[in-house]
Amino acid sequence: MIRNPSILALLVAETVSRLGSQLTALALPWFVLITTGSPTKMGVVFAAELLPVALLGIPAGVVVDRLGPRRAMLVADGARAPIIAAVPFLQGLGGLSFGLVLVLAALLGLFSCAYFTCQRLILPAVVGEDEQLIAQANTLVEGANNITQLLGPALAGVLIALMGAANVMWLDAASFVVAFVLVAVFVRIAREVHDKVEGGGVWGGLAYLRRDRLVARTSLSSLTFGFLFPILAASFPVLAYEQYDQNARVAGILFSTVGAGQVVGSLLAYRLVLKLPPLRMAAIAAIFTAAPLWLLVPNVPLAVTGIALAICGASVPLINAPYLGLLSTRVPRALRGKVLQSIVTINNVAGPVAYLIAGPLFVRVGLHGAYALIAALATFASVNFILATRSPGIGARHAQEAT
């Protein structure tokens, strides 16, 4: 798999561009904070970047369907490079206002909202429709993403101290250029994934989710996990503050533990997906996503918390790769972009909502009461996923139902 030039180019492009985006994820809010002195304005910038995702995320699936994933990726990378470069460029000229930063943040969100969908939709066009090969390719992309999430924030902090926040964004702009060149030159596809067949209009993806019980139920579990994990992440600083003498390093350790678990899980998924039916692997992993969370409900030693989070983190790639493979093989080609984009958009909106309610939840029921709620909902998501995928011969029907 890794020797496929197109897969290798996609993997390098993903790693480089995601690492650049991780740098900007810290550099842009830090830049706003130090230039305005206002945490409120920093939050407004986050909102400006999110707004296009919330408003235009689902319609973006139509654009992906018409352009095809490869061309849509090139448009996104080609547009985001000058957008993010405009921040340090205009700052150097003395012509960067806060209003202009908001416009640039919104444009960045606009051209980013369908990129995840494109990355996943292009894989069947490169490796074919085989369920296991698509799942294995997804493990590679997932692994690259997890590595950048683990290393990116720490690297961003070092580079901001050395170069300044504005100059760090030059590196992100360069990363989009590198990704554009790699995809344009090296990624070759057998055919476009999209069809000319009527795909149900802008809301065709949501309509399909109502019709296909398997995809709908597994997507419900995915979205439930996607809602719970931000609340879990938001608890780490609170746990460090309340139970470990306000030691910020404890929160950092917990974040790193989850990240390290996800990297290990990606490596396991790459090997296991060729030895086990992908959905069976995902069903087993679902057990190890929810069960360790119950260990957090009582007040346990930090080592136990770390082990539980590492196991939970490692299980996530083992679920994600087969689940994304399911969306790439079962959903009819004319609807794949719209279905995946609908799910991604709902998840992107649910995540920030989860962060908003996390604080009041911790105040209302306490930290460990919140852990009990998280564990209970995660258990529901796991059981739902397992029951949805246990039908005999379900994997064998994917290729037939996708045509």
Side-chain angles (χ1 to χ4, degrees):
M1 176 69 68
I2 196 69
R3 294 172 182 165
N4 184 320
S6 293
I7 290 294
L8 183 59
L10 285 171
L11 187 61
V12 176
E14 162 71 1
T15 303
V16 171
S17 66
R18 284 291 301 175
L19 187 58
S21 296
Q22 288 287 333
L23 300 181
T24 291
L26 181 59
L28 183 57
W30 189 263
F31 171 78
V32 173
L33 189 60
I34 63 175
T35 54
T36 68
S38 172
T40 300
K41 288 186 176 180
M42 181 187 71
V44 172
V45 171
F46 277 122
E49 189 172 350
L50 175 65
L51 189 61
V53 177
L55 296 179
L56 302 174
I58 291 177
V62 177
V63 177
V64 174
D65 183 57
R66 292 181 178 176
L67 291 180
R70 182 175 177 274
R71 284 194 291 270
M73 291 176 72
L74 292 174
V75 170
D77 285 332
R80 289 185 295 176
I83 289 170
I84 199 64
V87 176
F89 179 74
L90 293 175
Q91 173 68 7
L93 296 178
L96 186 63
S97 65
F98 178 68
L100 193 51
V101 170
L102 292 179
V103 171
L104 293 172
L107 288 173
L108 188 63
L110 174 64
F111 285 99
S112 299
C113 65
Y115 200 77
F116 178 92
T117 298
C118 294
Q119 287 176 317
R120 268 42 183 199
L121 286 181
I122 200 172
L123 295 179
V126 172
V127 302
E129 296 286 333
D130 182 86
E131 179 187 5
Q132 289 184 305
L133 290 179
I134 292 174
Q136 189 180 42
N138 273 304
T139 66
L140 291 173
V141 177
E142 185 92 1
N145 181 39
N146 290 333
I147 290 172
T148 59
Q149 286 182 328
L150 180 64
L151 301 179
L155 180 60
V158 172
L159 291 175
I160 289 172
L162 292 175
M163 304 171 57
N167 287 329
V168 167
M169 283 179 266
W170 284 116
L171 298 178
D172 190 16
S175 75
F176 289 131
V177 174
V178 171
F180 180 94
V181 172
L182 286 171
V183 173
V185 175
F186 296 105
V187 175
R188 294 290 177 262
I189 59 179
R191 54 173 175 74
E192 289 286 10
V193 178
H194 69 300
D195 285 339
K196 300 297 183 182
V197 179
E198 174 60 39
V202 171
W203 306 105
L206 292 176
Y208 179 85
L209 288 175
R210 290 197 297 268
R211 297 194 304 270
D212 190 316
R213 187 177 180 185
L214 172 62
V215 174
R217 290 188 62 179
T218 53
S219 296
L220 175 61
S221 292
S222 174
L223 293 172
T224 301
F225 286 129
F227 178 75
L228 294 176
F229 289 154
I231 300 177
L232 183 64
S235 76
F236 297 163
V238 180
L239 182 67
Y241 185 88
E242 292 184 353
Q243 296 182 198
Y244 294 97
D245 300 321
Q246 305 179 19
N247 188 345
R249 287 179 295 178
V250 171
I253 290 171
L254 296 178
F255 279 113
S256 297
T257 298
V258 175
Q262 289 176 330
V263 172
V264 171
S266 297
L267 295 174
L268 288 174
Y270 181 76
R271 295 295 183 186
L272 291 178
V273 77
L274 295 182
K275 298 179 180 180
L276 292 172
L279 287 180
R280 183 182 300 173
M281 182 184 78
I284 295 171
I287 299 173
F288 291 95
T289 304
L293 295 175
W294 288 104
L295 295 175
L296 306 181
V297 178
N299 192 350
V300 295
L302 183 61
V304 175
T305 301
I307 292 171
L309 293 174
I311 295 172
C312 184
S315 69
V316 171
L318 294 166
I319 297 175
N320 281 349
Y323 168 65
L324 292 168
L326 168 72
L327 296 178
S328 299
T329 55
R330 182 179 178 91
V331 177
R333 296 186 187 103
L335 283 168
R336 285 178 187 171
K338 294 171 187 174
V339 171
L340 185 52
Q341 187 61 32
S342 296
I343 295 169
V344 170
T345 300
I346 296 170
N347 220 336
N348 284 338
V349 174
V353 171
Y355 279 120
L356 286 176
I357 72 169
L361 179 65
F362 300 151
V363 172
R364 179 65 64 88
V365 303
L367 190 60
H368 293 280
Y371 285 150
L373 180 60
I374 291 170
L377 289 175
T379 300
F380 158 76
S382 294
V383 172
N384 177 67
F385 191 96
I386 293 167
L387 293 178
T389 57
R390 66 180 298 178
S391 300
I394 204 167
R397 295 199 300 268
H398 289 174
Q400 180 179 353
E401 296 183 13
T403 58

